[in-house]
Amino acid sequence: MTFPPIREELRGIEPYGAPQLDVPVALNTNENPYGPSAACADDVAAAVREATTTLNRYPDREHVALRTALAAYLSRDTVPTRGFEIGVEQVWAANGSNEVMLQLLQAFGGPGRRALSFAPTYSMYPEYARDTSTDWVQGHRAEDFSLDLDRARETVERERPSVVLLPSPNNPTGTALPPEAVGMLCEAAGDGLVVVDEAYTEFRREGTPSALELLPEHRNLVVTRTMSKAFALAGGRVGYLAADPAICDAIRVVRLPYHLSAVTQAVALAALRHAPELLGRVDDLRRERDACVGWLREQGLTVADSDANFVLFGTFADRHALWQDLVDQGVLIRETGPDGWLRVSIGTPEEMVAFRDALLTSL
Ligand code: PMP
């Protein structure tokens, strides 16, 4: 046997992840460019300090305090007018929404089962499928990256996936799902789960409701969220979901005991107390995004409409050469999406000037 005795389907595969290059302007992983205020950082540091007094003990396996705070946050800030609350038993958190979704596939995927999404879509989804030996089925988006709802329903009804993964807004295209899509696909999925990945939901335009509002109507609906993007806590590694309590109970069977460290729980709890401040730059970032879309179009480029904190643009005969040219000028963006397209995350106004200057030099 060839050493190391790795699973055959993993042999020779590069680890997932954007290049982590030391450049002045990093616009490649859709982070929030604004760090926490001194007051928030102090509060987080105090919470960590407090947590260190009991670091000889394992943390709360069920992370009840954090789930309670997340449930209150969702009920207060996201579905306050819908006449229902999200309870602690409907919320589950893990180390980033990546881990939440991996746990979902551990519990609901597996050999002989299928996971499905519509390309172009978030490139980690097939990795969760591969790592849980779940069959991966890929449907397709329309030319303008929207979801053709009739075709999507037919695909779901034909393939009968155990898990449908629907990012809204989608990464890497920035496209939000229309409000009618989620309910329709929950019905088409029958007993399968429909996971609406709302990693970028805070950046969406007015008038596109969150899928959270549909939770009371669809038991097979799972909404995942993250503190990594709008919430400006990518380094804290906290993602979570809201769903039927039976779905959380199923995940509790597959999760590693104590998967969320005491430090992570403390950081997330303290950060949630500063939610309005951490989310305070979302409007600025939306404006900067819209300006970026307009500017790229003025340069004669093709640009996808975006409801997120990034913009997909193209098309380039040699996108790698352009990407490298930008890196050489100190600006790191992402080679992702269909051939010929590039994605830029929205940064501070100064970072966006650096991006535009570098692109003008390279075009
Ligand atoms: N979903 C989507 C669509 C994403 O783009 C990302 C991060 N790039 C994630 C989930 C995972 O983010 P995290 O694990 O930091 O929550």
Side-chain angles (χ1 to χ4, degrees):
M1 194 191 281
T2 329
F3 191 83
I6 192 170
R7 283 164 55 190
E8 204 46 55
E9 60 274 32
L10 302 182
R11 195 176 298 284
I13 291 190
E14 287 295 315
Y16 182 93
Q20 289 196 300
L21 304 180
D22 188 14
V23 288
V25 180
L27 300 173
N28 67 332
T29 49
N30 305 338
E31 296 148 333
N32 189 324
Y34 299 103
S37 69
C40 173
D42 281 351
D43 233 27
V44 170
V48 170
R49 176 142 204 87
E50 172 69 28
T52 58
T53 60
T54 50
L55 271 186
N56 57 316
R57 301 291 178 191
Y58 282 114
D60 175 11
R61 225 170 21 213
E62 302 292 337
H63 52 290
V64 174
L66 176 57
R67 287 161 67 199
T68 304
L70 287 166
Y73 165 70
L74 290 179
S75 302
R76 187 180 65 234
D77 295 0
T78 308
V79 291
T81 56
R82 303 295 294 187
F84 69 92
E85 295 219 331
I86 292 176
V88 57
E89 68 292 345
Q90 288 178 271
V91 174
W92 179 259
N95 295 283
S97 53
N98 270 328
E99 188 180 41
V100 172
M101 287 186 277
L102 179 64
Q103 290 175 333
L104 278 167
L105 283 217
Q106 287 177 315
F108 297 98
R113 292 182 165 216
R114 294 174 179 170
L116 178 147
S117 190
F118 299 91
T121 192
Y122 181 37
S123 44
M124 270 302 292
Y125 297 160
E127 307 237 345
Y128 314 140
R130 181 198 67 203
D131 293 347
T132 56
S133 302
T134 308
D135 292 333
W136 173 245
V137 184
Q138 191 153 276
H140 295 281
R141 286 172 174 264
E143 195 101 312
D144 65 356
F145 303 137
S146 67
L147 201 60
D148 175 334
L149 297 191
D150 289 335
R151 228 172 108 201
R153 185 184 38 225
E154 277 168 33
T155 308
V156 169
E157 285 171 351
R158 185 181 62 245
E159 301 290 346
R160 313 275 346 134
S162 303
V163 181
V164 182
L165 293 154
L166 291 174
S168 183
N170 185 33
N171 179 11
T173 66
T175 325
L177 283 177
E180 65 277 17
V182 176
M184 189 270 275
L185 290 173
C186 282
E187 273 160 33
D191 292 337
L193 296 188
V194 172
V195 179
V196 181
D197 173 358
E198 293 197 342
Y200 301 97
T201 192
E202 295 88 348
F203 298 106
R204 73 190 189 277
R205 270 152 229 286
E206 303 289 314
T208 330
S210 162
L212 284 173
E213 300 194 358
L214 298 175
L215 279 176
E217 287 153 50
H218 301 284
R219 286 195 79 187
N220 60 341
L221 173 61
V222 179
V223 182
T224 61
R225 295 259 180 132
T226 181
M227 294 179 82
S228 300
K229 309 295 181 181
F231 219 96
L233 204 75
R237 307 304 300 127
V238 182
Y240 54 102
L241 64 70
D244 189 280
I247 291 173
C248 298
D249 285 344
I251 294 181
R252 290 170 62 233
V253 178
V254 299
R255 58 101 181 97
L256 294 174
Y258 318 112
H259 67 292
L260 264 188
S261 82
V263 172
T264 304
Q265 294 184 42
V267 167
L269 269 168
L272 275 167
R273 289 196 290 273
H274 291 266
E277 178 215 309
L278 288 166
L279 292 165
R281 296 299 194 124
V282 164
D283 281 344
D284 294 341
L285 290 165
R286 277 206 204 107
R287 267 193 297 278
E288 199 66 57
R289 168 197 69 204
D290 292 342
C292 178
V293 168
W295 183 84
L296 288 166
R297 286 190 177 141
E298 280 166 24
Q299 309 316 305
L301 297 168
T302 311
V303 186
D305 286 328
S306 175
D307 270 58
N309 66 335
F310 53 81
V311 177
L312 190 71
F313 63 100
T315 54
F316 305 102
D318 187 349
R319 77 167 171 191
H320 181 71
L322 178 56
W323 177 85
Q324 185 63 57
D325 219 29
L326 295 177
V327 171
D328 293 344
Q329 296 175 75
V331 177
L332 178 60
I333 63 170
R334 188 80 176 259
E335 284 186 88
T336 184
D339 255 6
W341 294 77
L342 290 165
R343 191 194 71 195
V344 61
S345 309
I346 302 303
T348 62
E350 296 73 29
E351 289 172 326
M352 298 315 285
V353 168
F355 161 69
R356 289 197 289 265
D357 287 351
L359 191 61
L360 275 182
T361 308
S362 306
L363 280 178

